[in-house]
């Protein structure tokens, strides 16, 4: 694993063995948006959180927004 900075979402993807590209395809969000969120550079909008959570719950049906974001 690389030494790059990872936010909660990035760490979760790493733990699950998923790539950011999977999230890009599942959410239809821009690659840069996913990258910025995974590294903690950007806080997602409400609509983006909804898209992310829909995709993440395909892997973990019990996933909660609080698991990934500090709002």
């Amino acid at each position: 694993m690389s030494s790059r900075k990872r936010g909660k979402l990035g760490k979760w993807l790493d733990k699950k063995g998923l790539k950011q590209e999977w999230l890009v395809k599942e959410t239809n969000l821009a690659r840069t948006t996913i990258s910025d969120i995974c590294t903690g550079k950007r806080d997602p909008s409400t609509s983006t959180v909804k898209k992310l959570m829909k995709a993440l719950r395909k892997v973990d049906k019990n996933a909660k927004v609080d698991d990934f974001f500090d709002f």
Side-chain angles (χ1 to χ4, degrees), residues 8-69:
K8 289 181 182 180
L9 178 57
K11 289 176 183 175
W12 185 89
L13 289 173
D14 293 344
K15 183 178 175 183
K16 297 292 184 183
L18 297 170
K19 304 255 185 231
Q20 289 181 19
E21 190 60 34
W22 172 82
L23 208 46
V24 168
K25 290 176 183 173
E26 289 291 322
T27 61
N28 224 14
L29 294 167
R31 183 176 286 115
T32 54
T33 299
I34 297 297
S35 177
D36 286 352
I37 293 169
C38 285
T39 58
K41 290 182 185 175
R42 178 190 295 191
D43 289 326
S45 67
T46 301
S47 63
T48 298
V49 169
K50 288 179 183 179
K51 290 176 185 178
L52 289 167
M53 293 310 299
K54 184 177 179 181
L56 298 173
R57 287 183 178 131
K58 290 181 180 181
V59 176
D60 181 355
K61 65 180 179 162
N62 296 316
K64 299 181 294 282
V65 173
D66 293 348
D67 295 338
F68 307 101
F69 309 107

